[in-house]
Each structure stands twice: as structure tokens, then as C-alpha cells.
Amino acid sequence: MLKIGDFLGEQRLIRGGPPTIPLVVRASTAFWLANAMFSGILPVILGLAGVEFGQSAVGWAMAAFAIPFVVLQVWAAVRLLAGARWARIVLTVIAGLSVLIAPFDFSPIVIVGLTLTLAGAVLMWLPAANAFFRPPHETPVPGPDGAEPIEAGA
């Protein structure tokens, strides 16, 4: 049986990459996915159900804004596991926007959402994550005395 830990731990499940993903990237993805559920889906469900939770914008307008935002966030978070560098940029912009548009009346949902967002954003930029997202490149081995690389079979 496939567990979520297996999915977050093995990159070969996504496009046959290297067998493991750094722990900081897996943790960042988990924080982003938790944030999408807690800050994106939960407020929409509570708002549409008529439950007061400290947000001023509720109803269909909030759902129309939140759902595409959550879909983008989940897609970028999953692409982190595949080593997509653009996903870190998108999620960093989302983190910045989340901090800027957070209401000043901090409800528990906003506080937990900001905590998850900032944790995910910080973890995906740590040195272990940077090494994972670095594009693969081959450095030519210089020949004797720093000359041009020696071709195989030459």
C-alpha cells in the first residue's frame, strides 16, 4: 500500500528522477500542501457553511478567488518534488502575497496559515534544497596543464 510518506520521499515516483528527495524539500512540500488545505479549502467550506471564523470576505466571492489560488499552490508544491525551480519562485511569490494581504485581525486560521506558509517558504530555500534545485550540468575535465578537455578515444 502506498503511503503519503512514500510519495513525499521518493522522486522516482515522479518522472523517474533520483531515488530520494532532500528532507527539507519533502517538509516544504508537506507544509505547502497543509497550508493549501488549512488556509484555502477550510475557510471556503466554513464561509459557505455560514460559520463565523474571523474573515470578512465569505461566500462565493471568496471561493472564486481561493480555489484557483489553492490549485496553483498545490500544483507548484507537487512540482517541488520533481525539482522544478520555477515552483520555488511561484511559491515564494505566494508567500509574499500571503504576508501582505493577511488581515490585521489575526484569527487562528490566519496565524496557522502564515506559519505553514513561512515554514514552507524558508525550507525550500535552505542550502540542502538549493543543491537539489541546482540544474544538472557537466563540467568538462581539463586536460594536462589546464588545456582543453581530452575527448574520449582521442
Side-chain angles (χ1 to χ4, degrees):
M1 183 165 95
L2 185 64
K3 294 179 264 178
I4 190 71
D6 295 335
F7 174 70
L8 292 176
E10 295 294 327
Q11 187 173 0
R12 70 180 87 123
L13 292 175
I14 303 172
R15 296 185 177 232
T20 58
I21 300 169
L23 179 60
V24 293
V25 175
R26 289 182 284 154
S28 177
T29 300
F31 281 124
W32 281 110
L33 293 175
N35 180 52
M37 290 302 298
F38 195 81
S39 298
I41 303 300
L42 182 63
V44 170
I45 292 171
L46 292 176
L48 293 176
V51 176
E52 179 61 37
F53 59 97
Q55 297 282 19
S56 60
V58 293
W60 293 108
M62 187 171 117
F65 174 74
I67 291 173
F69 190 72
V70 168
V71 168
L72 175 64
Q73 183 175 331
V74 168
W75 180 47
V78 170
R79 297 305 301 155
L80 277 178
L81 294 174
R85 291 182 294 163
W86 63 264
R88 287 199 308 174
I89 304 296
V90 168
L91 291 171
T92 301
V93 169
I94 290 173
L97 290 174
S98 297
V99 170
L100 290 176
I101 63 174
F104 291 105
D105 57 335
F106 291 110
S107 67
I109 288 179
V110 172
I111 292 171
V112 171
L114 283 176
T115 303
L116 292 170
T117 298
L118 295 176
V122 167
L123 287 174
M124 69 184 181
W125 288 101
L126 291 178
N130 289 339
F132 176 71
F133 289 107
R134 189 167 296 124
H137 63 282
E138 295 181 28
T139 54
V141 178
D145 300 327
E148 290 295 315
I150 301 173
E151 295 291 327

